[in-house]
Amino acid sequence: MAPSRWATALLAALVTLSVVAYPVQALGTTRYVDKNDPMCSDTGPGTAVLPYCTIVKGGTAAIAGDTVRVEAGSYTGMVTVSNSGTSTNPITFTAAPGATVTVTGGANGFKLTNKSYVTIAGFTVTATSGHGFNVSGGSYVTIDGNTVTYAGQPVSGQIANGIKLTGTADSTVSDNIVEHNSDHGIYLAASTARVVVERNKTNFNARQYERSAGGIRSIGPDNSIVDNVVHDNEDTGIQFATGSDNGLAAGNVVYNNGDHGIDNLNVTGGRMIGNTVYRNCTSGINVEGTSGNFIVANNVAFDNAVYPAYNGISCARRAGNIGIWDSAPATTTANHNLVWLTTTGTQYSWAGSAYNTLAGLQTASGQEANGIYGDPQVASPATWDLRLTSSSPAIDSANSSATGARSTDILGKPRSDVSTVTNTGAGTRLYDDRGAYEYQEGPPPPAPPNAALSLSPTAGTVPVAVTANASASTAGDSPIATYTFDFGDGTVVGPQAGSSATHTYTTANIYTVTVTVTDTNGLTSLISKSVSARAPIVPPTAAVSLNQSTGTAPLAVTANASATTAGSSPIATYTFDFGDGTVVGPQAGSSASHTYTTPGSYTITVTVADTGISSDDVTAGVTVNSGSGTELVGNTGFETNSTGWNSTPAGTTLTRVAGGHSGSFAAELANTLGSSVSCTLNDSPNWETSTASGTVTGSAWVRATTPRTIRLKLTEYSGGSNVGSTSTTLTLGTDWQRISVSYAVSTPGSSIDFNLYTTGNPTGQCFQADDVSLLHTAGSLMKAVNEQPGNLEGGVS
């Protein structure tokens, strides 16, 4: 299908403006939809960088003046339009330049209820359970340049129209392809008034289980059906039925339908002007029932009701190229029509009588004083090419002043006076042709080139280098001379002989790339496609702090993630997993509290998600001790200094470094010697200098940049003598892990020496430690354990 006038005008505007960020209507904005963009989100702003994922969201969000621009892809219906536009600020839904956008499934592709000033253009709507477009009420709705197929099912109770308007006024249905639907292709239902249906192709629509579905059907008043191609529908091609008074059918090409070409049933004031109606199953142009006050003029009607038509059906119903029945003849005028049969049959049916000759009708009724009975001499009726050839008697013989006569033909060509033909027409122009096509004298104008364009890639993260390739462009009547590439951000390459060009986008946006192909005659053709240059996706950076990380049960812990920083998208939710089966969120709040009642070591995991697709996790550890325990360490977290601790041997260092397990700092031991040594974190002096009976449990959270084994050892000294010890080991990684070991006091009054160490350390970091604990509890010896997040393993030495 040729691009619609609306689409052509829009494309020209885009090219002229060299769009960088798309211009919008006054007071409105462009809302972007791109399901393939990893940054898309229906909770986001719908910008070029953060588009919506669904057209459904665009339908609910768009307000007066907005344009909803949809990138290529298959989207799920139903798109419900929630708001109306205004006369100066309509709402527009459009596919992006060069994009194929399919809306499928759902009850309808698009649904409008009492909405006005809305335009929907450039979509493929298919396989809906109900009508492809379902418009109820409202006014000034435009449905333009869409393809609508396979609406409903050919089963009783499940049929649906391609495009249906009910009670809608002053609207336009134009340049659509509407075919293979299970009921009428385009249906102007009750009270739909002053609607123009123009330049559509509506074909192959059928219920299949009964003959009823037509191409275009109107039951509302003052509607105009002009310049459409309507063929191979199981019932009438174009029908005005009860309620559709004062309708106009002009300039249509209607052929091979399963009933009439154009039918009028129980309506008044109709006009059938300048149509080409060929080989329909029954009478080509038909007026019947209580119809009256009709004008039938300038039509070409031939071989109707004499040959099998839709699906090879032979019809034994009302006959004639033109049939005027029942009460219609008394107030109907017919003139300047051309009729013809290539076999025996009825030329006219008038007031119940069949006329096989034009002269017979003229004598009996006085109609068709300027009628023609003759071969219309069309280009190729066998292939449905019904354009006039130079020898056609339809040339320069119509009445240009007939009510509803058009100044252009179905192809948009102006009326043309053929110099070799004597003008026998009437009206203000004596040279209008009968039927839908106007014959153009002389050789056809030279054919321009046909531009083609591919982009590689069509999307990427800036900086993104895009190659525009127009090598698939084809010449018209002259060779292609140059290619000019407008990359939409002010960069233009060419005109040049080469058929490709590359440009790097450094700023995130959606751009329109346009290639203009020019031949040696100076004729041009252009085509545009979109490229999405995306900003780098930066995830959020999660951060968490705890009000306390060690204590006795019950221990109330508040995890605060307010220091989290956003990346490309705003923070949306926080989820807190407290490690004991308790999960808080996802929630908007950045903090959560939980009370631990069972002693143990727990890992709190905070997951931060943004409005895009990114998230980040951060963990913090909590040690919950038995309620009867006493903490012996006075500096567990190294938050202000390293008092109470030292490093051995000489040549190793103990420093405070940022990035603690639970707070802001940790202890780091390092080897500054040139040889391999042990590194030991030692309490100095001992935190426990006079033990009581019971158990002492030592623990620490540890990590290292290089994997190695760390050992935690507790040694009991009495009077300077070693009276016992215990230890455990752990393999270090880059994540924080807890190491813990317990020792039963053998000699009350003794001291406990705390040593945390690694061996064979080369120069550099040995390990980091934080949240160091030495807890005394009354009771029997507990099993020595080392612990990693989510994993407990035993080991005593």
Side-chain angles (χ1 to χ4, degrees):
M1 182 181 75
S4 69
R5 296 170 188 172
W6 184 93
T8 302
L10 175 61
L11 180 59
L14 292 175
V15 173
T16 301
L17 291 169
S18 293
V19 179
V20 176
Y22 277 82
V24 297
Q25 299 154 348
L27 303 179
T29 186
T30 298
R31 300 177 184 269
Y32 294 86
V33 179
D34 187 357
K35 65 176 293 185
N36 299 308
D37 193 321
M39 294 295 290
C40 79
S41 172
D42 281 356
T43 62
T47 61
V49 177
L50 297 173
Y52 300 139
C53 297
T54 68
I55 313 175
V56 172
K57 173 62 178 179
T60 59
I63 59 175
D66 285 356
T67 294
V68 179
R69 169 189 158 132
V70 187
E71 298 299 322
S74 180
Y75 296 81
T76 300
M78 165 176 67
V79 179
T80 300
V81 180
S82 297
N83 300 294
S84 290
T86 67
S87 60
T88 55
N89 290 284
I91 295 173
T92 300
F93 293 80
T94 181
T100 298
V101 180
T102 300
V103 180
T104 185
N108 309 116
F110 288 84
K111 182 177 183 179
L112 287 73
T113 303
N114 297 323
K115 299 298 180 290
S116 299
Y117 295 103
V118 176
T119 294
I120 304 172
F123 297 92
T124 295
V125 177
T126 187
T128 53
S129 61
H131 314 301
F133 285 81
N134 189 5
V135 182
S136 178
S139 59
Y140 300 101
V141 174
T142 298
I143 301 172
D144 180 86
N146 304 282
T147 297
V148 190
T149 60
Y150 298 103
Q153 296 291 326
V155 177
S156 180
Q158 300 181 38
I159 59 174
N161 307 118
I163 299 173
K164 182 179 181 181
L165 280 64
T166 305
T168 307
D170 303 300
S171 296
T172 301
V173 180
S174 55
D175 296 292
N176 302 284
I177 298 174
V178 188
E179 58 189 18
H180 296 292
N181 298 288
S182 60
D183 203 2
H184 311 299
I186 299 172
Y187 184 26
L188 309 182
S191 303
T192 296
R194 300 179 302 280
V195 170
V196 176
V197 180
E198 60 183 349
R199 299 186 305 276
N200 302 280
K201 295 180 179 179
T202 176
N203 322 307
F204 305 107
N205 299 289
R207 293 186 181 182
Q208 299 183 28
Y209 62 89
E210 64 178 359
R211 181 184 57 79
S212 185
I216 303 172
R217 189 170 194 259
S218 170
I219 60 172
D222 303 306
N223 294 314
S224 298
I225 300 175
V226 296
D227 294 347
N228 301 279
V229 177
V230 185
H231 66 84
D232 290 278
N233 300 283
E234 75 176 358
D235 199 64
T236 293
I238 299 172
Q239 184 179 52
F240 296 87
T242 305
S244 193
D245 297 340
N246 304 314
L248 169 66
N252 302 286
V253 174
V254 188
Y255 62 85
N256 206 43
N257 295 285
D259 197 11
H260 305 292
I262 304 175
D263 183 35
N264 299 270
L265 174 65
N266 301 330
V267 293
T268 61
R271 293 159 292 160
M272 306 292 110
I273 310 295
N275 303 283
T276 295
V277 184
Y278 170 61
R279 199 163 175 160
N280 295 282
C281 198
T282 58
S283 50
I285 295 175
N286 190 69
V287 185
E288 61 185 341
T290 59
S291 300
N293 296 317
F294 264 78
I295 300 173
V296 182
N298 299 342
N299 301 285
V300 172
F302 64 110
D303 276 348
N304 292 284
V306 291
Y307 291 109
Y310 169 82
N311 281 349
I313 298 172
S314 295
C315 300
R317 301 187 297 277
R318 288 186 160 179
N321 281 311
I322 297 175
I324 311 297
W325 312 85
D326 307 323
S327 64
T331 54
T332 295
T333 61
N335 201 6
H336 291 94
N337 298 290
L338 183 154
V339 296
W340 174 251
L341 291 175
T342 58
T343 187
T344 58
T346 301
Q347 300 288 349
Y348 287 90
S349 290
W350 194 276
S353 298
Y355 299 93
N356 297 329
T357 66
L358 176 61
L361 173 71
Q362 291 170 329
T363 300
S365 67
Q367 300 290 331
E368 289 288 13
N370 302 102
I372 295 175
Y373 172 66
D375 186 344
Q377 298 289 321
V378 299
S380 177
T383 59
W384 313 108
D385 184 351
L386 306 181
R387 293 173 299 166
L388 303 178
T389 61
S390 60
S391 57
S392 174
I395 295 173
D396 294 355
S397 64
N399 178 9
S400 61
S401 294
T403 303
R406 299 171 64 74
S407 60
T408 57
D409 74 352
I410 189 172
L411 301 178
K413 295 178 180 179
R415 300 299 178 181
S416 176
D417 189 356
V418 179
S419 61
T420 58
V421 175
T422 301
N423 294 337
T424 58
T428 56
R429 296 181 304 273
L430 303 180
Y431 51 81
D432 286 17
D433 297 349
R434 304 185 190 201
Y437 294 102
E438 183 77 8
Y439 178 76
Q440 303 292 319
E441 186 177 26
N450 183 33
L453 176 63
S454 64
L455 301 178
S456 180
T458 58
T461 300
V462 293
V464 55
V466 175
T467 297
N469 190 330
S471 62
S473 301
T474 56
D477 289 335
S478 298
I480 294 174
T482 62
Y483 301 83
T484 302
F485 298 87
D486 185 337
F487 284 94
D489 63 348
T491 301
V492 178
V493 178
Q496 63 179 31
S499 60
S500 66
T502 298
H503 173 59
T504 299
Y505 294 99
T506 58
T507 301
N509 213 323
I510 295 179
Y511 300 93
T512 296
V513 182
T514 301
V515 61
T516 301
V517 179
T518 305
D519 67 15
T520 55
N521 275 338
L523 298 178
T524 62
S525 174
L526 60 85
I527 187 173
S528 297
K529 290 190 176 181
S530 297
V531 61
S532 176
R534 302 171 180 142
I537 300 174
V538 179
T541 301
V544 66
S545 62
L546 307 180
N547 66 324
Q548 54 183 335
S549 61
T550 303
T552 58
L555 181 67
V557 175
T558 297
N560 190 328
S562 60
T564 295
T565 55
S568 300
S569 302
I571 302 299
T573 62
Y574 301 82
T575 303
F576 298 84
D577 185 337
F578 283 94
D580 64 348
T582 301
V583 178
V584 177
Q587 63 178 33
S590 61
S591 66
S593 297
H594 174 59
T595 298
Y596 294 94
T597 59
T598 302
S601 295
Y602 303 94
T603 298
I604 298 176
T605 302
V606 181
T607 301
V608 180
D610 63 20
T611 57
I613 62 169
S614 299
S615 63
D616 189 33
D617 295 337
V618 65
T619 61
V622 174
T623 302
V624 181
N625 300 312
S626 171
S628 60
T630 300
E631 178 60 64
L632 304 174
V633 176
N635 182 11
T636 64
F638 307 94
E639 291 302 303
T640 58
N641 53 50
S642 58
T643 299
W645 302 97
N646 68 10
S647 64
T648 60
T652 61
T653 61
L654 169 61
T655 57
R656 293 170 59 248
V657 294
H661 167 251
S662 62
S664 299
F665 292 93
E668 181 174 273
L669 278 75
N671 175 17
T672 61
L673 301 173
S675 59
S676 176
V677 299
S678 297
C679 291
T680 301
L681 177 66
N682 179 56
D683 56 344
S684 177
N686 294 334
W687 293 107
E688 173 60 286
T689 58
S690 180
T691 62
S693 61
T695 301
V696 177
T697 300
S699 65
W701 288 84
V702 290
R703 66 179 179 180
T705 55
T706 302
R708 53 173 52 96
T709 299
I710 192 168
R711 182 178 294 273
L712 173 58
K713 183 176 183 181
L714 301 180
T715 305
E716 182 182 9
Y717 288 93
S718 178
S721 299
N722 182 339
V723 297
S725 67
T726 187
S727 66
T728 189
T729 61
L730 174 72
T731 299
L732 292 172
T734 56
D735 292 331
W736 287 107
Q737 302 176 74
R738 185 173 183 264
I739 185 170
S740 176
V741 69
S742 296
Y743 176 76
V745 175
S746 64
T747 308
S750 60
S751 64
I752 300 295
D753 186 33
F754 183 104
N755 285 273
L756 184 64
Y757 59 93
T758 55
T759 60
N761 299 282
T763 301
Q765 184 203 74
C766 300
F767 63 91
Q768 292 181 354
D770 196 11
D771 295 329
V772 185
S773 172
L774 193 61
L775 186 71
H776 178 268
T777 57
S780 60
L781 174 64
M782 297 187 335
K783 183 180 180 182
V785 295
N786 61 19
E787 179 175 335
Q788 303 178 42
N791 181 34
L792 298 176
E793 296 179 355
V796 178
S797 62

